[in-house]
Amino acid sequence: MAATLKLLQPLVYRAFCNPFAYSATQRVAYWNVGSCTWPTGQDPPEHSSLCHPAKKVENICSTSSRRILTTNSALPSLEFSRASASKSSTLKPCSPRAMKVDKEDIEAFDSFEDPRVFLQLRPEYQLHSYNRSETCQPLSVSEGELILHKVTVYQANLQPQIIADYFCKLSSLPAEQHPVLLSSASFALLCQLSVKNIQLFDSPDLINILKAFVVLGIPHSHPMLDVYETKFCHKVWEMSLDQLLLVADLWRYLGRKVPRFLKIFFSYLNLRWKDLSLSQLIHLIYIIGESRQVPQDLMQKLESLILKYIDLINLEEVGTICLGFFKSSSSLSEFVMRKIGDLACADMQHLSSYALVNILKMFRFTHVDHVNFMKQFGQIAPQRIPSLGVQGVMHLTLACSALRILDEGVMNAVAASLPPRVAYCRSKDVAKILWSFGTLNYKPPNAEEFYSSLINEIHSKMPEFNRYPEHLLTCLLGLAFSEYFPVELIDFALSPGFVRLAQERSKFELTKELYTLDGTVGIECPEYRGSRLCSHLQQEGSEMLWNLARKDMNSKPEFLEALFLLETVLGGPQYIKHHMILPHTRSSDLEVQLDVNMKPLPFNREATPTEDVAKLRLKHVGVSLTDDLMNQLLKGKSRGHFQGEIESETGQQPVELEKAAAIHLGASLCNVADRLGAMEMAGLCPPARMQVPQVKLAIQLTNKNQYCYGSRNLLGLHNMKRRQLNRLGYRVVELSHWEWLPLLKRTRFEKLAFLHEKVFTAAL
């Protein structure tokens, strides 16, 4: 009794009077879990915008320390009072749901909680996922004080199970007390003891401690969590699938990336993937998507399981599957995507907008054209768009442009809904929406209002565009496709400072984008006097794009055959040139020039390889190797004299002399052939009197990917290219895929007749 009474004396057992407790407080910079600084190389969790721990800690610690120094409580290590509660009510821990949002606000999107809705659809999910409503028995403030007092007093004798139990109980304190708890020295001591005894915890204890960390909002960057991750790595092969999924889910909920744990977990799954139940499979795909990492061979195995369970999966789970594969950059086969599309089509009216957006993301990623799905999507989307957040609207619009599907009803609904709420757009949203409208080459009925509101929003979000320079270039290219050229923004984007910023800060290679914008401005804005790309970057962009275009076209048999037959129609390779007339437009052309009589001009001097020049030119001129010509080549010397001259100089025998003469003769022939060829070309195209072409043709062999799906409407980039070619005086001759590809199976004569008509009819 005396000992008990002594423990309760207020001035005897202050936390800072205990030597061990004092040493613990000295290490508060390491152990104080109220410190939420982000170490180098680790980004804050997605929900970090909901709280600013680094700012809050100062208030928490200062409030706590003041109260510890002035109170006469028997348990000064953690004082819970209404005053402290009121002070700390605004100091919310780093909890994923720390900030509630108005459900009526359509722009509210919780990137952390919304993807987890599927976990409420089956009771089986509760076996391997974290449920926020599932807590230990509520703990009163006085009980929490007593636990922390025991930690301080009995620290050397606490068993691992007791430590785990204390964490669980403390996590049941009222939420408003969590900030004070996290900043207390006694709780820091409890964390230290857990790390010290971590080898003694079994798997259930470790999981319960991790659950407590989640409830309390332990900062994801705290060094203590490194130790726990390592311990869980060692435990992987001892745990069940349900336990492993729960642990991965807790790490996700904590907002911490655990690549080491996941790597071992995925190795485990590679051996036991066939044991996954339906709920485990869907939950695993969610975790893979959120972690953004997975071995592709595992994803192929999971795809086979999707097919196994396909008839049992509901629509929201379909959305989860698509989002998980999309976020992890893992593709699904066309067969599976068509199955998914069929499932969605069967009951699309009851498909949530969130799941609909996720399915569209995967169709965009796989480029699968499910016609029935897109048709039904076009029917329901216009009604849903006004009640969909701008991020969802952006993804719908981007999916349409990626799939080349122009649905005017959908695009008009997007254009009508955006101007009133354009302020909610991120820089990424503005960029992708402008790109999508430009790519589909579509101007909505309210085009002026639509474009002016988005251009104004670009101006207002310039600090954000400076952080993501690729978004500004995407905006300006999308506007250029639609023939909008905001001069001030273009001048800024092509300024040396922004170009340097784009090269240094962006994770993307932006030279091609800068070059495309610069080349477009040079042609379509003749009065523009602002910044332009330097010649070095222009040359670099040109070479980069030409190499890509040449490699692409030379790999297509239909193009190579068209080029060969056009050379035949025109009279030779010197009458046609494969190059990029407008390098910044990213595709090549076959250029032909005709004179006033509509005859082709041999303007391409680079058409024939060097080793074939002499042979081709001699054949074309028709020079015969007569005795007289041979005498001229040998400068009038007789064979005997020539032979003796070489013998006197070299001392070689007659047999060798004959070989030497042959070599010398061959070299002379080549030189003369070069001179004759040069005279021929000079005669045909005298440099001083080079004929100015009357007509310049840009022949383009198109493919279906240059048009909107199922139509003959060109996409924005290709339409812009033709517009610019016309400005430069070219006539575009289109060898369309719907005409040329069927002809490949016809006779050579039919192909030549078709090409002849195309070239010379266009010239008239």
Side-chain angles (χ1 to χ4, degrees):
M1 178 66 68
T4 303
L5 291 173
K6 189 175 182 180
L7 282 174
L8 296 177
Q9 292 299 314
L11 296 178
V12 175
Y13 283 102
R14 291 183 183 274
F16 289 103
C17 293
N18 186 296
F20 194 91
Y22 182 71
S23 65
T25 61
Q26 286 182 318
R27 294 187 293 275
V28 72
Y30 182 89
W31 288 107
N32 191 336
V33 292
S35 300
C36 268
T37 54
W38 317 126
T40 304
Q42 173 127 12
D43 296 329
E46 292 180 13
H47 54 272
S48 62
S49 60
L50 301 181
C51 59
H52 301 279
K55 191 174 182 179
K56 296 173 186 173
V57 168
E58 181 180 350
N59 294 334
I60 294 172
C61 294
S62 61
T63 302
S64 178
S65 61
R66 283 199 303 271
R67 293 178 58 252
I68 287 172
L69 291 173
T70 58
T71 185
N72 288 325
S73 169
L75 303 173
S77 59
L78 182 61
E79 180 87 5
F80 296 99
S81 68
R82 294 187 181 184
S84 67
S86 63
K87 286 182 181 181
S88 64
S89 62
T90 58
L91 308 176
K92 298 180 178 64
C94 301
S95 169
R97 300 292 284 175
M99 182 178 289
K100 300 280 187 181
V101 295
D102 183 3
K103 293 181 180 179
E104 298 300 317
D105 186 357
I106 62 173
E107 301 303 334
F109 172 71
D110 191 332
S111 62
F112 189 88
E113 283 293 340
D114 288 354
R116 298 177 61 84
V117 172
F118 74 97
L119 293 172
Q120 304 169 15
L121 301 178
R122 298 177 189 269
E124 300 95 302
Y125 285 120
Q126 304 307 313
L127 299 174
H128 45 77
S129 66
Y130 171 68
N131 185 356
R132 288 185 301 111
S133 62
E134 180 185 310
T135 59
C136 300
Q137 185 176 355
L139 191 74
S140 67
V141 172
S142 59
E143 289 173 318
E145 292 176 342
L146 184 59
I147 288 174
L148 289 173
H149 178 67
K150 290 179 179 178
V151 170
T152 304
V153 175
Y154 302 118
Q155 55 187 280
N157 300 316
L158 291 178
Q159 297 299 313
Q161 291 76 16
I162 299 299
I163 294 173
D165 185 57
Y166 282 175
F167 273 114
C168 180
K169 289 179 178 178
L170 289 172
S171 68
S172 299
L173 281 167
E176 63 269 15
Q177 299 297 338
H178 289 177
V180 182
L181 174 67
L182 296 187
S183 62
S184 74
S186 296
F187 185 76
L189 177 59
L190 181 62
C191 292
Q192 184 181 8
L193 291 173
S194 76
V195 170
K196 182 179 178 181
N197 293 277
I198 198 165
Q199 299 301 329
L200 304 177
F201 291 123
D202 58 18
S203 296
D205 287 337
L206 288 168
I207 292 173
N208 287 332
I209 292 173
L210 197 57
K211 281 184 181 179
F213 288 167
V214 171
V215 175
L216 294 171
I218 301 295
H220 76 281
S221 59
H222 197 281
M224 171 181 64
L225 297 181
D226 286 331
V227 181
Y228 275 88
E229 181 187 354
T230 300
K231 183 59 180 177
F232 276 112
C233 288
H234 295 158
K235 287 279 186 179
V236 166
W237 296 96
E238 303 173 15
M239 299 169 76
S240 67
L241 274 171
D242 282 344
Q243 287 178 320
L244 288 168
L245 286 168
L246 176 56
V247 170
D249 200 50
L250 288 168
W251 283 122
R252 168 58 189 156
Y253 213 95
L254 200 56
R256 182 180 178 86
K257 296 177 180 178
V258 284
R260 291 179 295 151
F261 171 77
L262 289 176
K263 183 177 181 181
I264 300 172
F265 181 25
F266 294 152
S267 297
Y268 173 101
L269 286 168
N270 258 317
L271 298 178
R272 306 186 186 180
W273 62 277
K274 291 182 180 180
D275 299 333
L276 288 167
S277 66
L278 172 57
S279 64
Q280 290 173 337
L281 171 65
I282 305 299
H283 192 193
L284 173 62
I285 292 173
Y286 157 77
I287 289 170
I288 287 171
E290 297 305 308
S291 66
R292 266 74 166 182
Q293 67 173 88
V294 66
Q296 289 305 307
D297 58 337
L298 176 60
M299 296 307 281
Q300 293 171 6
K301 295 172 182 175
L302 298 185
E303 181 176 345
S304 67
L305 283 181
I306 293 172
L307 284 174
K308 174 184 175 181
Y309 293 120
I310 193 72
D311 294 328
L312 303 175
I313 299 173
N314 61 50
L315 291 179
E316 295 306 310
E317 289 171 331
V318 168
T320 300
I321 290 172
C322 288
L323 184 62
F325 272 76
F326 176 81
K327 283 187 172 182
S328 62
S329 300
S330 304
S331 187
L332 284 167
S333 66
E334 181 178 349
F335 180 76
V336 172
M337 286 307 302
R338 296 203 177 280
K339 284 280 189 181
I340 287 174
D342 293 340
L343 277 176
C345 288
D347 195 17
M348 192 174 289
Q349 289 294 338
H350 296 98
L351 180 66
S352 71
S353 295
Y354 182 73
L356 176 63
V357 169
N358 291 336
I359 293 172
L360 278 168
K361 286 179 180 179
M362 203 58 199
F363 274 120
R364 179 183 108 209
F365 184 76
T366 57
H367 289 279
V368 173
D369 52 343
H370 195 296
V371 178
N372 191 28
F373 176 87
M374 294 308 298
K375 182 179 179 181
Q376 290 195 38
F377 162 73
Q379 293 171 355
I380 69 168
Q383 290 77 38
R384 294 199 184 191
I385 284 171
S387 60
L388 194 63
V390 291
Q391 291 188 39
V393 172
M394 178 272 288
H395 282 297
L396 294 185
T397 313
L398 187 60
C400 288
S401 68
L403 295 170
R404 302 179 290 109
I405 294 177
L406 174 57
D407 188 309
E408 294 189 5
V410 174
M411 303 304 286
N412 290 344
V414 171
S417 72
L418 274 180
R421 50 186 178 140
V422 70
Y424 290 103
C425 290
R426 304 165 298 171
S427 63
K428 179 179 180 178
D429 300 324
V430 176
K432 300 300 184 183
I433 289 169
L434 286 173
W435 174 267
S436 298
F437 274 81
T439 295
L440 291 173
N441 194 24
Y442 181 72
K443 292 183 180 178
N446 65 329
E448 291 306 316
E449 177 194 19
F450 174 70
Y451 282 106
S452 63
S453 65
L454 288 172
I455 291 172
N456 290 335
E457 194 59 24
I458 297 174
H459 283 281
S460 67
K461 283 189 165 57
M462 285 311 293
E464 189 175 342
F465 281 108
N466 278 325
R467 292 198 301 273
Y468 305 102
E470 64 272 12
H471 292 165
L472 179 59
L473 295 177
T474 301
C475 286
L476 295 177
L477 288 175
L479 287 168
F481 295 164
S482 303
E483 296 184 84
Y484 286 89
F485 301 95
V487 175
E488 291 182 5
L489 293 174
I490 293 172
D491 180 44
F492 175 75
L494 294 178
S495 64
F498 184 82
V499 170
R500 186 167 55 253
L501 181 75
Q503 292 177 318
E504 295 173 356
R505 182 170 295 181
S506 177
K507 60 182 179 180
F508 302 101
E509 168 55 56
L510 298 178
T511 303
K512 298 191 296 293
E513 284 69 24
L514 288 165
Y515 182 54
T516 298
L517 179 63
D518 180 76
T520 295
V521 169
I523 295 174
E524 302 213 37
C525 304
E527 298 180 358
Y528 173 77
R529 295 295 180 268
S531 302
R532 294 293 301 273
L533 210 58
C534 67
S535 58
H536 168 71
L537 282 178
Q538 287 181 349
Q539 180 66 24
E540 183 180 331
S542 177
E543 291 176 357
M544 187 183 304
L545 291 172
W546 169 236
N547 289 335
L548 291 173
R550 178 174 54 187
K551 183 178 179 181
D552 176 53
M553 297 307 289
N554 287 342
S555 66
K556 296 179 178 179
E558 64 272 21
F559 169 78
L560 296 175
E561 183 163 2
L563 175 59
F564 175 74
L565 292 175
L566 280 168
E567 290 176 354
T568 303
V569 168
L570 296 169
Q574 65 271 30
Y575 296 99
I576 187 170
K577 184 175 184 179
H578 175 216
H579 68 131
M580 300 174 83
I581 299 174
L582 301 176
H584 65 277
T585 57
R586 310 188 180 197
S587 57
S588 60
D589 314 89
L590 297 172
E591 183 175 357
V592 173
Q593 297 183 4
L594 305 177
D595 63 14
V596 292
N597 298 316
M598 297 298 105
K599 302 286 187 182
L601 293 172
F603 70 101
N604 183 13
R605 300 189 181 186
E606 303 173 359
T608 310
T610 305
E611 59 270 19
D612 295 338
V613 168
K615 189 185 302 181
L616 179 63
R617 288 173 178 170
L618 282 172
K619 181 178 179 181
H620 186 78
V621 174
V623 178
S624 300
L625 293 177
T626 62
D627 292 338
D628 292 335
L629 178 57
M630 292 295 291
N631 289 333
Q632 292 178 19
L633 291 175
L634 297 174
K635 299 181 180 179
K637 298 178 182 179
S638 66
R639 179 177 174 84
H641 178 73
F642 172 73
Q643 197 167 317
E645 183 176 69
I646 293 181
E647 183 178 1
S648 64
E649 290 181 5
T650 64
Q652 293 174 316
Q653 298 299 318
V655 175
E656 295 176 340
L657 290 175
E658 190 170 341
K659 294 179 182 178
I663 293 171
H664 187 83
L665 175 62
S668 300
L669 284 173
C670 288
N671 293 334
V672 172
D674 285 342
R675 288 197 296 270
L676 290 173
M679 291 171 61
E680 171 205 358
M681 292 301 293
L684 290 171
C685 307
R689 301 183 281 111
M690 186 70 177
Q691 296 186 51
V692 177
Q694 180 70 20
V695 177
K696 293 187 293 183
L697 303 179
I699 303 174
Q700 298 178 351
L701 179 62
T702 61
N703 61 69
K704 65 178 183 178
N705 293 328
Q706 296 176 351
Y707 300 86
C708 292
Y709 186 87
S711 77
R712 296 182 181 181
N713 300 323
L714 279 169
L715 296 177
L717 174 63
H718 306 286
N719 182 68
M720 183 183 76
K721 176 180 177 178
R722 294 197 181 182
R723 190 171 69 229
Q724 293 177 10
L725 285 170
N726 290 333
R727 282 178 177 268
L728 296 180
Y730 282 87
R731 296 185 190 177
V732 177
V733 178
E734 180 179 2
L735 303 181
S736 61
H737 64 279
W738 59 83
E739 293 177 308
W740 180 244
L741 293 182
L743 268 176
L744 294 178
K745 300 178 181 179
R746 309 299 290 271
T747 65
R748 174 182 169 86
F749 176 79
E750 288 175 297
K751 297 173 192 174
L752 291 172
F754 170 79
L755 293 173
H756 187 277
E757 181 183 2
K758 278 286 186 180
V759 170
F760 292 102
T761 301
L764 297 177

